[in-house]
Amino acid sequence: MDEVSRSVNRVVLGAASEGTGHLGVARRRRLAIRRDPSRGTPVAQGRRWAAAGRESEETAKEDDMTSQQVVAIDTSYDADSAWFASGRALLYARLQGQFNIVPFGQTAAERRRILRYLSRTEDAGQTIRAIVVSSHGKPSRVIDDDSPDKTLLSAESPEGELALWARGRVLYFCCCEAGIGPLFDKLLDAGARTVVGFTGKPTAATTDGKFLWREFDQELVSCALHGQRASGFERAREQYMDRLERRMAGLPEGPIRQDFIAMFDVLAAMVIRDGHEV
């Protein structure tokens, strides 16, 4: 092969190795970046250090999620409450390893045991970021059949107990009507970071309604796991109210539509509030 042919081959092979089209352009850009002498300048080093810092921050956030506990309380035995509890169990299994979730189920959620755990955890210098509860409720009262007076928490609880629950935490209560009355105000006054709950009844008669309620509960639990403030819970509520409106638009009159109408009204009347220090 003469010198001219070899030169032509080198040109052709070079073009092929660089590539054409979008892939070729991207490859040439990466090569240009590697060959850029400015990458050794203080500005370029600063950019790399900043990127490394961002990676460290993300790692720190992940470590924070696993080091701070989330106490998950599911107290009731009946079918409706068990439906929520089973949905939460699926969520916790899916997020295993990403969060430090401490579960208390049914008899383990007795009031004195919960208070003892909160106190000991605090004495040990550990942080509880959030407490999520699914149970029966009445106005300003969270019910637990195994607790004294069948009450896990209420507006009449001693100030010390309310403060032990609050402690700068996100509190989410999936309990009928617990948001009516002064309980949530008292928890916020005691130092809760964010309090979320219902003034209505999160229940449904149809399978479609039950599934949607369970999905919504999982979404709110996820907000609590991530330590979100009221704005995060508000976004979740608005998304589900939009979904309900779209679903109802194409539904004839019947039990499913009635479940969706009732759910929409309960969501509209929810309590979602931040504490005094935002």
Side-chain angles (χ1 to χ4, degrees):
M1 182 181 295
D2 58 24
E3 186 60 33
V4 174
S5 298
R6 283 194 294 271
S7 298
V8 171
N9 284 338
R10 281 197 297 272
V11 172
V12 172
L13 290 171
S17 63
E18 287 293 323
T20 58
H22 295 298
L23 293 176
V25 170
R27 188 178 297 114
R28 286 196 295 275
R29 285 176 179 167
R30 288 196 298 272
L31 288 171
I33 291 170
R34 293 193 192 103
R35 295 165 184 162
D36 184 0
S38 68
R39 283 174 59 80
T41 65
V43 173
Q45 289 176 350
R47 288 172 182 161
R48 291 200 297 276
W49 291 337
R54 287 193 295 271
E55 290 179 2
S56 298
E57 288 176 4
E58 291 300 321
T59 302
K61 288 179 183 177
E62 291 176 3
D63 291 342
D64 188 54
M65 289 297 178
T66 55
S67 63
Q68 296 185 0
Q69 298 181 17
V70 174
V71 175
I73 301 172
D74 302 294
T75 70
S76 298
Y77 297 90
D78 68 282
D80 287 339
S81 299
W83 181 252
F84 284 103
S86 63
R88 292 182 175 203
L90 292 171
L91 177 66
Y92 300 150
R94 193 162 66 244
L95 298 176
Q96 189 174 12
Q98 299 179 42
F99 297 92
N100 186 359
I101 301 168
V102 181
F104 286 87
Q106 296 180 342
T107 56
E110 189 266 339
R111 184 173 81 222
R112 289 166 296 191
R113 185 174 296 181
I114 294 295
L115 293 171
R116 189 161 55 244
Y117 181 81
L118 296 176
S119 180
R120 287 177 177 174
T121 303
E122 185 174 276
D123 291 342
Q126 298 175 331
T127 302
I128 296 174
R129 181 171 58 256
I131 303 175
V132 295
V133 181
S134 69
S135 183
H136 289 298
K138 291 183 178 181
S140 282
R141 182 182 170 203
V142 180
I143 295 173
D144 172 44
D145 290 339
D146 295 303
S147 294
D149 301 324
K150 297 187 181 300
T151 300
L152 182 67
L153 179 68
S154 77
E156 285 72 44
S157 296
E159 289 185 4
E161 291 187 14
L162 293 169
L164 201 55
W165 275 80
R167 290 286 193 273
R169 298 175 182 130
V170 175
L171 305 177
Y172 164 47
F173 298 94
C174 184
C175 313
C176 293
E177 301 179 334
I180 298 174
L183 173 59
F184 288 6
D185 287 332
K186 287 191 172 187
L187 288 168
L188 290 166
D189 290 341
R193 191 166 185 256
T194 302
V195 178
V196 178
F198 300 98
T199 58
K201 297 182 178 182
T203 61
T206 65
T207 301
D208 292 67
K210 289 179 179 180
F211 267 107
L212 199 58
W213 263 117
R214 189 163 78 170
E215 285 180 17
F216 180 60
D217 177 63
Q218 289 174 327
E219 189 69 28
L220 297 188
V221 170
S222 182
C223 289
L225 289 174
H226 287 88
Q228 293 191 24
R229 305 304 302 269
S231 59
F233 287 91
E234 288 281 7
R235 284 192 297 272
R237 172 170 67 171
E238 289 169 7
Q239 289 170 3
Y240 271 79
M241 291 179 78
D242 288 343
R243 282 183 62 182
L244 284 164
E245 285 185 324
R246 291 195 299 270
R247 293 283 299 273
M248 287 188 290
L251 275 178
E253 289 296 331
I256 296 175
R257 183 180 175 83
Q258 290 304 312
D259 267 354
F260 287 173
I261 291 172
M263 183 176 180
F264 187 93
D265 291 342
V266 172
L267 265 60
M270 280 183 70
V271 177
I272 301 176
R273 291 181 54 195
D274 280 331
H276 302 299
E277 295 295 330
V278 179

